[in-house]
Amino acid sequence: TEHRPVVRTVLQKVMEVARRHPNARAPTEPLRLPRPVAMRAERRRVPGAVPLALELRHLRALREVAGAQTIGRAAERLGMTQPSLSRQLKELEQAGGVPLLERSARGVRVTAAGASLAGDCLALLLAVERLSHDATRVRRSMEGRCVIGAVATRVTSDLLTRTRAACTARYPDVHLLIEELPTPHQPDALRRGAIDLGLAHAYLQVGAADELVWEPLVQDRVDCALVSRTHRLAGCRRVRAADLADVAFLFVERSFYPPLHDGVMTALLALGLTPWVEATYDGLQAIWAMAAQGKGWAIGFRSQRRRPPVGTVAVPVVGLDMPWGLDMIHRRNEGSAAVLAVAGLIRSTHAGTTRPNR
């Protein structure tokens, strides 16, 4: 028999929907599946039996078709051909022993049984996804792994270099992985189990009341303009907002993280500067690279005055002073010994460093 809980849950739901149909041929006895070998040996399918080939993709197919009302549109959303989608839908109907769709020249319409199952598809798929994430987290804990999602800055790089060295010396069995990840993407990645710790810019102070905890590590300020070493402003000791009015402002799209975008724009407008934005970019690394090429100016941190991004110069802007910094994010009830150990190393490593000047 099939012993996997997730598979049994999905198949049982299919059978329950099938049994409610007046013309159903689905069996009323408890669901029992033959072993894969026996299924391959016996090619004839018993009416109403659930095939081992039934997969989650069949539920995704039904959900998309129910929403799109046409096979073509649903196939496009799923990135597959219409014949392949039609074949999956027929497999699902054969599994349940009841029609799920009514086909016509105008498109398709779900039957009562199809609507019932389609309504439960999302909950079933989310349950499987949560189980997958939980399994990933358990596996990482058993293997002694810790995945850190981090913003790509020099301060973060220095901190991670020292943390990695300390981890190798004190916890040689812990495998430390580093993934570059923008701040707005880190909270969701932590909740999904894609990463175990986050090193994020401190402007994103949300989630403190839920399952995530934000710990301030480094205090910093936004008070500079980053320009190319060959830019006419590169040699200035400081610049005023008016000096930047005719220079393209390199920044992220508002959708990247609206509070960050609005906060920076508000601060610049308060200085009498309406930024000239020609184009937007994904992430600070791309922005700094464009600044180094002389394409415009970007916001800079106080910690970057001595060591700005390669090819740029950090020039203080009169009146510009926004809170910034670096936070460590972790799950409130983290149970992995490896993750807790690495978090402790990050705290102790940071405690032995000098914070940027205020």
Side-chain angles (χ1 to χ4, degrees):
T1 60
E2 175 60 60
H3 294 289
R4 291 171 292 178
V6 172
V7 177
R8 291 189 61 82
T9 298
V10 173
L11 298 183
Q12 189 62 51
K13 184 60 183 178
V14 172
M15 297 304 297
E16 289 175 3
V17 172
R19 293 189 188 105
R20 291 199 293 266
H21 194 273
N23 298 322
R25 293 176 296 161
T28 58
E29 63 271 10
L31 179 65
R32 297 184 65 85
L33 301 175
R35 295 184 180 276
V37 175
M39 183 59 127
R40 286 195 295 268
E42 179 58 61
R43 295 185 178 275
R44 291 181 300 172
R45 181 173 298 168
V46 179
V50 180
L52 287 176
L54 184 63
E55 301 174 3
L56 296 178
R57 59 191 174 94
H58 295 106
L59 299 183
R60 295 190 182 95
L62 176 62
R63 182 168 176 264
E64 285 295 335
V65 172
Q69 297 296 309
T70 68
I71 298 290
R73 191 177 301 118
E76 183 178 351
R77 292 179 182 177
L78 292 169
M80 59 193 306
T81 64
Q82 294 187 38
S84 296
L85 179 56
S86 296
R87 184 167 55 254
Q88 289 189 17
L89 295 170
K90 289 180 179 179
E91 290 173 355
L92 183 58
E93 288 180 317
Q94 292 174 359
V98 61
L100 300 175
L101 299 172
E102 292 181 357
R103 298 166 176 82
S104 67
R106 292 185 176 182
V108 295
R109 185 175 68 86
V110 294
T111 63
S116 177
L117 180 57
D120 292 329
C121 281
L122 180 58
L124 288 168
L125 293 171
L126 288 176
V128 174
E129 184 179 359
R130 284 194 299 269
L131 180 62
S132 176
H133 294 156
D134 290 343
T136 298
R137 290 179 57 186
V138 170
R139 185 176 67 252
R140 285 178 178 165
S141 177
M142 293 172 60
E143 294 176 353
R145 290 175 46 176
C146 179
V147 181
I148 302 178
V151 292
T153 65
R154 189 181 297 273
V155 172
T156 306
S157 178
D158 292 345
L159 179 60
L160 288 173
T161 298
R162 292 190 294 269
T163 300
R164 188 188 291 276
C167 186
T168 300
R170 295 184 57 181
Y171 306 111
D173 294 331
V174 174
H175 185 40
L176 194 59
L177 300 176
I178 311 297
E179 295 182 4
E180 182 179 334
L181 196 64
T183 296
H185 299 167
Q186 292 187 26
D188 183 60
L190 275 163
R191 295 186 181 99
R192 292 187 290 105
I195 63 175
D196 300 304
L197 293 173
L199 291 179
H201 290 306
Y203 66 79
L204 185 57
Q205 286 289 352
V206 299
D210 64 8
E211 69 271 28
L212 302 182
V213 177
W214 297 68
E215 291 188 26
L217 290 179
V218 179
Q219 296 181 7
D220 208 345
R221 313 292 292 186
V222 173
D223 62 0
C224 299
L226 296 176
V227 296
S228 169
R229 291 185 177 277
T230 60
H231 197 277
R232 59 180 176 81
L233 299 176
C236 299
R237 295 187 59 185
R238 62 182 59 219
V239 297
R240 296 184 178 276
D243 299 325
L244 300 169
D246 61 346
V247 183
F249 180 46
L250 308 173
F251 202 39
V252 296
E253 182 72 30
R254 186 177 186 275
S255 59
F256 180 78
Y257 188 62
L260 167 66
H261 181 279
D262 296 346
V264 171
M265 291 299 184
T266 299
L268 296 179
L269 290 173
L271 298 178
L273 173 61
T274 300
W276 167 31
V277 180
E278 284 188 327
T280 55
Y281 305 88
D282 294 330
L284 291 177
Q285 291 295 314
I287 290 174
W288 294 339
M290 297 301 292
Q293 296 174 25
K295 303 298 184 180
W297 75 280
I299 58 172
F301 316 140
R302 185 168 299 181
S303 60
Q304 293 176 323
R305 290 190 186 184
R306 293 183 178 180
R307 293 194 300 171
V310 176
T312 68
V313 174
V315 183
V317 179
V318 177
L320 181 60
D321 187 21
M322 289 181 60
W324 200 264
L326 186 70
D327 287 353
M328 178 172 66
I329 322 174
H330 59 86
R331 290 178 284 266
R332 188 176 300 277
N333 298 316
E334 180 59 62
S336 168
V339 175
L340 295 174
V342 173
L345 288 179
I346 292 176
R347 297 187 191 98
S348 60
T349 299
H350 160 66
T353 63
T354 302
R355 296 186 179 185
N357 296 327
R358 296 295 300 272

